[in-house]
C-alpha cells in the first residue's frame, strides 16, 4: 500500500492554470499533488554569444525553491552568494529537456528563458518544472506566431517528465516525498508527447534493480507522460 493510498500506476492529481502572471509572455502554475511550481517564459531578441550569428534560437531555464517550499525553511541561495549544485544540475536538465522539443532554426535568433519557481515541494519538482515549463514555452511561442515573428511552429513535440521508482519492492508511478525518501530505486523519465525518450535518470538507493523492473518502470513512465501530455494539450488549447 502506498502512503497516499494510490494504485501503483496512479498519478497524483494534476492541474495546470495558465496565464498565472501578468507580465510574462507565457506562464502557468502546475500542481502535481502537493508539488506546486510557477513556470514563466520570457522572450528576448538576443542569444548567448556562442550561437550569435548562427540563425539558431536558444531555450534555457532557471530553477529555484522558495524558502518555505519544504517543511523547514531553507536559506535563499542569493543570501549565500551562489547557487547550490542541485539547483544548477536541475536547471540544466530543464533547459536541455525543453530544447529537445524545439526546432531552433524555426525559432530564429532569439532566446526564451523558462523560470521554474517551486512554491511547494512534495517530490518530483524537476518533473513538474519540465512539464509546466513546456506549457509556459508553448504559450510564449503562440504569441510569437500570432505576431508574425515566427513563420512555422518551432515546437515540434511536447515535452513532459514523471518520476518512477521501486517503493516497498513494487514499481510505482509519480513518487511523492514520503515514497521518494524511502524508495530503493528512484528515477526521472523525460519524454516527448509522441513517446520518445529525452533523458532517463535512474539510481539505486540502498537497493539494486533488474532489467525486468527497469522495463516495468519504463511502462509506468510512458503511461504517466501520456497523461501529462494530455493535460498540457488541454491547458494550451
Amino acid at each position: 500500500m502506498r502512503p497516499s493510498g494510490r494504485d501503483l500506476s496512479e498519478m497524483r492529481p494534476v492541474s495546470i492554470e495558465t496565464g498565472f502572471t501578468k507580465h510574462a509572455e507565457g506562464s502557468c502554475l502546475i500542481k502535481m499533488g502537493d508539488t506546486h511550481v510557477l513556470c514563466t517564459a520570457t522572450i528576448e531578441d538576443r542569444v548567448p554569444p556562442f550561437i550569435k550569428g548562427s540563425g539558431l534560437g536558444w531555450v534555457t531555464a532557471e530553477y529555484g525553491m522558495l524558502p518555505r517550499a519544504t517543511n523547514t525553511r531553507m536559506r535563499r541561495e542569493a543570501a549565500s552568494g551562489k547557487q547550490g549544485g542541485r539547483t544548477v544540475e536541475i536547471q540544466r536538465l530543464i533547459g536541455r529537456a525543453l530544447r529537445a522539443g524545439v526546432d531552433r532554426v524555426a525559432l530564429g535568433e532569439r532566446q526564451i528563458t523558462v523560470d521554474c519557481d517551486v512554491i511547494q515541494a512534495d517530490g518530483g519538482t524537476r518533473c513538474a518544472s519540465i512539464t509546466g515549463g513546456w506549457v509556459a514555452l508553448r504559450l510564449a511561442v503562440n504569441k510569437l506566431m500570432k505576431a508574425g515573428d515566427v513563420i512555422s511552429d518551432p515546437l515540434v513535440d511536447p515535452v513532459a517528465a514523471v518520476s518512477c521508482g521501486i517503493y516497498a519492492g513494487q514499481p510505482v508511478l509519480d513518487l511523492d516525498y514520503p515514497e521518494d525518501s524511502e524508495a530503493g530505486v528512484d528515477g526521472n523519465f523525460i519524454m516527448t508527447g509522441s513517446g520518445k525518450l529525452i533523458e532517463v535518470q535512474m539510481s539505486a538507493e540502498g537497493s539494486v534493480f533488474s532489467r525486468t523492473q527497469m522495463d516495468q518502470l519504463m511502462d509506468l513512465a510512458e503511461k504517466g507522460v501520456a497523461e501529462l501530455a494530455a493535460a498540457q494539450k488541454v491547458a494550451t488549447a
Side-chain angles (χ1 to χ4, degrees):
M1 177 65 71
R2 304 178 70 173
S4 63
R6 286 182 286 148
D7 292 337
L8 300 180
S9 62
E10 184 180 352
M11 295 277 292
R12 290 174 290 179
V14 176
S15 70
I16 304 174
E17 180 181 348
T18 58
F20 195 77
T21 64
K22 177 180 179 179
H23 300 293
E25 283 78 20
S27 70
C28 75
L29 177 67
I30 182 169
K31 297 181 180 180
M32 295 181 66
D34 285 333
T35 289
H36 302 171
V37 184
L38 171 61
C39 302
T40 56
T42 301
I43 302 170
E44 298 174 285
D45 289 324
R46 64 178 183 88
V47 291
F50 65 89
I51 58 170
K52 191 172 183 179
S54 67
L56 298 174
W58 188 249
V59 175
T60 188
E62 293 191 12
Y63 168 95
M65 296 180 69
L66 296 184
R68 280 314 304 267
T70 55
N71 58 1
T72 57
R73 186 184 187 274
M74 299 178 297
R75 189 183 184 202
R76 294 183 190 272
E77 290 183 326
S80 64
K82 65 177 182 178
Q83 291 181 312
R86 176 183 179 273
T87 297
V88 173
E89 184 265 325
I90 290 176
Q91 64 189 25
R92 287 177 177 172
L93 170 68
I94 297 168
R96 65 177 178 266
L98 295 177
R99 286 193 297 272
V102 177
D103 180 344
R104 292 170 53 206
V105 174
L107 181 59
E109 201 163 311
R110 58 177 54 84
Q111 174 172 285
I112 301 180
T113 301
V114 177
D115 288 291
C116 302
D117 294 289
V118 180
I119 298 172
Q120 184 171 283
D122 187 40
T125 62
R126 71 187 66 194
C127 293
S129 296
I130 291 167
T131 303
W134 187 88
V135 171
L137 180 62
R138 170 78 272 172
L139 296 172
V141 167
N142 285 351
K143 288 193 175 183
L144 284 173
M145 296 178 65
K146 186 175 181 180
D149 296 328
V150 171
I151 299 173
S152 60
D153 189 355
L155 300 190
V156 295
D157 208 352
V159 174
V162 72
S163 64
C164 299
I166 306 294
Y167 174 78
Q170 295 290 328
V172 297
L173 174 63
D174 189 21
L175 283 71
D176 53 25
Y177 180 76
E179 294 171 333
D180 188 29
S181 61
E182 296 184 11
V185 176
D186 183 22
N188 300 298
F189 296 77
I190 307 162
M191 304 173 69
T192 67
S194 60
K196 294 182 173 60
L197 287 168
I198 296 172
E199 187 160 338
V200 177
Q201 300 178 326
M202 286 289 297
S203 60
E205 301 178 13
S207 180
V208 294
F209 57 101
S210 66
R211 173 62 182 269
T212 298
Q213 288 174 314
M214 178 66 180
D215 291 342
Q216 291 172 331
L217 294 177
M218 274 297 313
D219 290 342
L220 289 175
E222 288 182 348
K223 176 183 182 294
V225 167
E227 293 180 19
L228 291 171
Q232 289 173 326
K233 185 175 181 180
V234 171
T236 56

